[in-house]
C-alpha cells in the first residue's frame, strides 16, 4: 500500500511517501522565522505557500502520481493550532479531490514507530524527546502508555528558552549544542521525580549563571545536566519494565552527546540501543505515511468529518480517538 503523509505540527511542512515499511520520499521544508521567532500565523502562511511545491517534489522523488497513492495520512497533533490546520486542510483536500481514504496520526506515535522500524527493535522502551515533549513510553496491547514525562517544559524548549535568554542568533537546541562544545562543567540544579522530569529550576539557574560564568560553560553544563536527568529516569524505567532494548526518538534525539550517554548506559546495562537517522527524528512526512499505514491496517480509514486537528493530542489518548473515528 502506498501512503502519502503530511507533517505540519509546528515549523515544518513535510510530505513523505511510503510503500509498506519502505520510504520512497521525504521532502522537508522548515520555516526559520527569519530572526523574529516562530509566530504561529507565519508558520501557517509558510506551510500554505510551500504545500504545492513540497507535494510535487515528494511525488517526483517517489516517481508517482496522485492517482497511484492509496492512502492519505496526516499529522493530527499534538501541535500548534495554526500550522497544524494548514496540513490537515491540505490532506483533506487531497483525499476529497482524489477520492482516497484518509487517516489522522499522532505525531509522537509516528516518531516512535519509524524509529522502531529503522532500528529493527520490536517493542522497546521508547524515549521521546522533542521541543514540546519528553516522555518515556511503553507499548502494551497496541497502545502506548506514558511511564514518565516532563512536568513542565519539553527538553527541546528548555534549550530554546536558554538560547533566547542568552540572545543566541538562532535560539535553537542545535545552536546551544554548538556553543557547548569544549565547555567546562559548573554545578546546576538536578531535579527528577521518580520517572518524571522537571526543567524550570534548571533553566532559571542556567540563565542566572550566564551572568557570572562563560556562556559556553553554562550551555555545556545545562546540556550535561538535562541529559543526565533524562538518562537517570530512562534507566529507572528500563529496570522497572525489564526491557532489553531502548529507542530514542524526536528532534532532540539527533543530539550526539545525548546518543553517546544513552548508548553507554545501555551498554553497561546489557540493553540494545537504537536511534534512527536524523531525517526521521526531525519532523517529517515519511514517518506520518509509515505510521498512517500501520494504523489503517488496524482501524481502517477515518470519516472525513473526524479529520480535525487535536492540538493537545496525547499519545495515551489514541484509543479514545480511534473509538470515535
Ligand atoms: Fe517531532
Amino acid at each position: 500500500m502506498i501512503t502519502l503523509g503530511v507533517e505540519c505540527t509546528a515549523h515544518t511542512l513535510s510530505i513523505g511517501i511510503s510503500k509498506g515499511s519502505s520510504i520512497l520520499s521525504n521532502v522537508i521544508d522548515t520555516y526559520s522565522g527569519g530572526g523574529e521567532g516562530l509566530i504561529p500565523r507565519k508558520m501557517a502562511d509558510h506551510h500554505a505557500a510551500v504545500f504545492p511545491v513540497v507535494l510535487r517534489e515528494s511525488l517526483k522523488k517517489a516517481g508517482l502520481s496522485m492517482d497511484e497513492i492509496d492512502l492519505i495520512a496526516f499529522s493530527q497533533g499534538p501541535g500548534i493550532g495554526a500550522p497544524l490546520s494548514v496540513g490537515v486542510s491540505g490532506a483533506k483536500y487531497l483525499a476529497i479531490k482524489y477520492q482516497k481514504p484518509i487517516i489522522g496520526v499522532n505525531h509522537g506515535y509516528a516518531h516512535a514507530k519509524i524509529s522502531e522500524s529503522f532500528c529493527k527493535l520490536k517493542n522497546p522502551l521508547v524515549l521521546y524527546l522533542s521541543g514540546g515533549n519528553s516522555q518515556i513510553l511503553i507499548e502494551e496491547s497496541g497502545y502506548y502508555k506514558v511511564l514518565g514525562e516532563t512536568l513542565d517544559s519539553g527538553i527541546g524548549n528548555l534549550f530554546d528558552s536558554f538560547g533566547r535568554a542568552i540572545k543566541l542568533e538562532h535560539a535553537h537546541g542545535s545552536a546551544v549544542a554548538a556553543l557547548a562544545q569544549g565547555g567546562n562543567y559548573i554545578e546546576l540544579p538536578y531535579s527528577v521525580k521518580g520517572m518524571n522530569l522537571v526543567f524550570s529550576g534548571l533553566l532559571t539557574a542556567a540563565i542566572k549563571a550566564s551572568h557570572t560564568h562563560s556562556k559556553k560553560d553554562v550551555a555545556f553544563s545545562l546540556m550535561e545536566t538535562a541529559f543526565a536527568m533524562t538518562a537517570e529516569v530512562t534507566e529507572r524505567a528500563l529496570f522497572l519494565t525489564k526491557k532489553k532494548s531502548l529507542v530514542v526518538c524526536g528532534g532532540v534525539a539527533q543530539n550526539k552527546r545525548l546518543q553517546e550517554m544513552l548508548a553507554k548506559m545501555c551498554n553497561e546495562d546489557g540493553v540494545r540501543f537504537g536511534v534512527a537517522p536524523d531525517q526521521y527524528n526531525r519532523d517529517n512526512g515519511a514517518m506520518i505515511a509509515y505510521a498512517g499505514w500501520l494504523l489503517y491496517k488496524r482501524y481502517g480509514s477515518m470519516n472525513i468529518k473526524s479529520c480535525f486537528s487535536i492540538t493537545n493530542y496525547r499519545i495515551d489518548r489514541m484509543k479514545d480517538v480511534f473509538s470515535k473515528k
Side-chain angles (χ1 to χ4, degrees):
M1 179 170 231
I2 298 175
T3 308
L4 181 144
V6 179
E7 162 55 35
C8 50
T9 50
H11 56 5
T12 296
L13 187 282
S14 173
I15 296 178
I17 298 173
S18 65
K19 183 175 185 181
S21 57
S22 307
I23 304 302
L24 306 181
S25 67
N26 191 29
V27 178
I28 299 173
D29 194 319
T30 299
Y31 176 63
S32 69
E36 61 179 4
L38 295 171
I39 298 165
R41 189 66 252 159
K42 294 202 171 176
M43 286 190 250
D45 289 347
H46 164 267
H47 293 0
V50 304
F51 193 101
V53 185
V54 173
L55 174 64
R56 216 165 28 240
E57 190 66 15
S58 194
L59 287 165
K60 192 174 159 196
K61 281 201 170 151
L64 296 168
S65 69
M66 273 308 297
D67 291 336
E68 293 169 283
I69 301 294
D70 300 310
L71 172 68
I72 307 285
F74 65 96
S75 198
Q76 193 164 16
I80 301 165
L84 193 51
S85 65
V86 172
V88 176
S89 301
K92 283 165 79 172
Y93 167 78
L94 293 176
I96 293 166
K97 181 172 182 198
Y98 295 98
Q99 299 188 339
K100 307 289 182 188
I102 186 167
I103 192 158
V105 175
N106 177 283
H107 181 89
Y109 175 85
H111 270 302
K113 282 296 166 203
I114 196 135
S115 296
E116 289 175 16
S117 170
F118 265 94
C119 300
K120 298 191 171 31
L121 292 174
K122 208 167 164 42
N123 207 358
L125 188 75
V126 174
L127 176 60
Y128 170 37
L129 299 174
S130 66
N133 297 281
S134 299
Q135 293 176 322
I136 301 170
L137 306 168
I138 185 171
E139 191 175 15
E140 282 181 4
S141 310
Y143 295 102
Y144 283 98
K145 283 184 179 169
V146 179
L147 286 184
E149 62 188 318
T150 176
L151 300 181
D152 43 32
S153 83
I155 189 167
N157 283 349
L158 164 73
F159 300 141
D160 296 350
S161 300
F162 177 73
R164 269 195 299 279
I166 64 165
K167 302 197 169 18
L168 282 185
E169 194 182 338
H170 298 290
H172 186 263
S174 57
V176 178
L179 174 64
Q181 291 288 324
N184 293 306
Y185 181 74
I186 58 163
E187 201 164 328
L188 290 173
Y190 182 101
S191 181
V192 303
K193 317 268 180 194
M195 283 182 286
N196 295 322
L197 297 154
V198 180
F199 291 121
S200 50
L202 173 59
L203 174 63
T204 306
I207 294 171
K208 211 168 152 194
S210 70
H211 301 307
T212 52
H213 294 75
S214 86
K215 290 185 171 65
K216 178 178 282 302
D217 288 351
V218 181
F220 173 78
S221 307
L222 173 70
M223 290 203 140
E224 287 294 301
T225 306
F227 292 155
M229 287 164 54
T230 305
E232 181 186 327
V233 294
T234 306
E235 190 171 42
R236 189 164 291 129
L238 281 169
F239 288 152
L240 178 80
T241 59
K242 299 185 172 53
K243 288 279 184 190
K244 286 292 163 202
S245 56
L246 170 73
V247 157
V248 64
C249 63
V252 179
Q254 297 170 84
N255 186 289
K256 302 300 173 248
R257 175 62 181 144
L258 170 74
Q259 292 178 11
E260 182 189 15
M261 283 171 83
L262 293 173
K264 188 168 181 236
M265 178 188 80
C266 286
N267 190 35
E268 285 169 3
D269 294 338
V271 169
R272 286 180 67 198
F273 172 66
V275 59
D278 282 354
Q279 68 163 315
Y280 301 110
N281 279 316
R282 292 178 65 183
D283 287 353
N284 69 92
M287 70 176 187
I288 302 300
Y290 171 65
W293 170 66
L294 294 181
L295 292 171
Y296 179 80
K297 284 194 293 179
R298 185 164 172 193
Y299 300 104
S301 63
M302 281 181 167
N303 186 309
I304 199 87
K305 288 184 183 144
S306 304
C307 294
F308 45 79
S309 57
I310 308 172
T311 53
N312 60 351
Y313 188 0
R314 285 179 61 88
I315 197 167
D316 49 7
R317 274 188 61 207
M318 284 178 62
K319 198 172 190 174
D320 298 340
V321 168
F322 281 97
S323 69
K324 292 176 194 145
K325 79 179 179 67

